[in-house]
C-alpha cells in the first residue's frame, strides 16, 4: 500500500487506467513481443565470465525446451552476469510467470534467457541487474522452475527433434544444460 507524504498531490486516475478495473488483463503476447523488441540492448560480446545462476538447485529434473529444477523456497535465481529484464508474462503456464532477460556481458552477450513457472519476487521489466543479483526467487508452490534460452519469437517453445513439443531431445534444452554444466552446475548429461 502506498502512503502519501505530507505535501504530496493526489494522483489523478483516468478511466483508461487499469487501477481497480475488474476487467483489466495482461497484454496479449503480441504486445509483449513488440515491447521486447523495443527493449533490447545491443550488448557486445566480451571476455566476461558467468556465474552459475542456479547455484541453489537441490534436484535436477528433465530437460525439454529448458532445464527443470527444484530449489529451496525463497532461493534466488541469480543473474549470471549483468542482465536486463526484458518482460514478464504473468500467466505463462498453469497461472505461473515467465521472465525474459538479456545477457549484457560475456561470450553470449545479446542472447536472451528465461526462467519460468515456480518463481516469485521477479525483478521488474527494464531493470538492469548486476552479476549475482536475484532475477527471481523460488516460490512456495508450483511446477518447479524451467530455465532456458529464448528469442523474441519464443523459440524455446518449439518442437523437439522428434516433433513432440518439449520432448527430451530438444536442442535448446540440451544447449542450456551444457551451458549450466560449463559453469559447474552439475546438471547431468544433456
Amino acid at each position: 500500500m502506498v502512503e502519501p507524504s505530507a505535501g504530496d498531490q493526489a494522483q489523478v486516475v483516468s478511466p483508461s487506467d487499469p487501477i481497480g478495473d475488474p476487467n483489466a488483463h495482461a497484454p496479449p503476447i503480441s504486445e509483449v513481443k513488440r515491447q521486447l523488441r523495443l527493449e533490447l540492448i545491443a550488448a557486445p560480446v566480451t571476455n566476461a565470465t558467468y556465474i552459475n545462476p542456479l547455484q541453489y538447485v537441490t534436484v535436477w529434473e528433465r530437460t525439454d525446451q529448458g532445464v527443470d529444477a527444484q530449489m529451496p523456497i525463497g532461493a534466488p535465481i541469480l543473474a549470471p552476469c549483468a542482465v536486463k529484464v526484458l518482460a514478464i508474462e504473468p500467466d505463462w503456464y498453469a497461472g505461473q510467470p515467465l521472465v525474459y532477460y538479456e545477457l549484457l556481458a560475456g561470450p553470449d552477450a545479446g542472447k536472451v534467457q528465461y526462467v519460468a513457472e515456480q518463481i516469485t519476487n521477479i525483478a521488474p521489466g527494464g531493470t538492469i541487474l548486476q552479476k549475482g543479483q536475484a532475477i527471481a526467487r523460488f516460490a512456495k508452490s508450483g511446477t518447479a522452475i524451467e530455465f532456458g534460452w529464448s528469442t523474441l519469437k519464443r523459440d524455446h517453445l518449439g518442437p523437439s527433434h522428434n516433433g513432440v513439443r518439449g520432448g527430451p531431445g530438444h536442442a535448446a534444452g540440451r544447449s542450456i544444460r551444457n551451458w549450466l554444466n560449463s559453469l559447474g552446475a552439475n546438471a547431468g548429461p544433456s
Side-chain angles (χ1 to χ4, degrees):
M1 186 163 115
V2 177
E3 295 289 333
S5 300
D8 284 352
Q9 294 296 316
Q11 291 182 333
V12 176
V13 178
S14 73
S16 65
D17 289 335
I19 299 170
D21 180 357
N23 298 315
H25 52 78
I29 192 63
S30 60
E31 176 62 14
V32 171
K33 287 181 184 180
R34 186 190 70 73
Q35 290 177 10
L36 275 171
R37 282 190 293 277
L38 297 174
E39 297 295 329
L40 280 174
I41 295 174
V45 172
T46 68
N47 292 338
T49 58
Y50 301 115
I51 62 166
N52 173 8
L54 302 179
Q55 295 176 23
Y56 300 98
V57 166
T58 53
V59 178
W60 293 101
E61 296 182 345
R62 71 181 184 166
T63 298
D64 47 16
Q65 61 263 25
V67 176
D68 296 352
Q70 296 280 344
M71 303 170 79
I73 295 168
I77 294 94
L78 304 172
C81 62
V83 303
K84 180 175 183 184
V85 178
L86 299 174
I88 299 166
E89 287 188 46
D91 187 13
W92 180 70
Y93 175 76
Q96 300 169 104
L98 176 145
V99 59
Y100 297 98
Y101 54 92
E102 180 184 8
L103 302 177
L104 300 180
D108 295 311
K111 291 185 180 177
V112 177
Q113 292 182 334
Y114 73 95
V115 64
E117 299 177 29
Q118 193 170 338
I119 58 175
T120 190
N121 297 88
I122 304 167
T127 303
I128 295 180
L129 301 171
Q130 298 307 308
K131 182 193 285 189
Q133 288 186 295
I135 295 167
R137 293 190 177 273
F138 194 74
K140 190 178 208 177
S141 63
T143 55
I145 61 165
E146 182 167 304
F147 183 89
W149 295 113
S150 187
T151 70
L152 297 179
K153 295 179 182 177
R154 293 174 31 139
D155 289 339
H156 62 277
L157 297 179
S160 72
H161 72 288
N162 60 6
V164 177
R165 182 181 289 267
H170 198 283
R174 289 191 313 270
S175 174
I176 199 67
R177 186 174 289 260
N178 289 338
W179 187 83
L180 287 165
N181 283 339
S182 76
L183 302 175
N186 199 19
S190 54

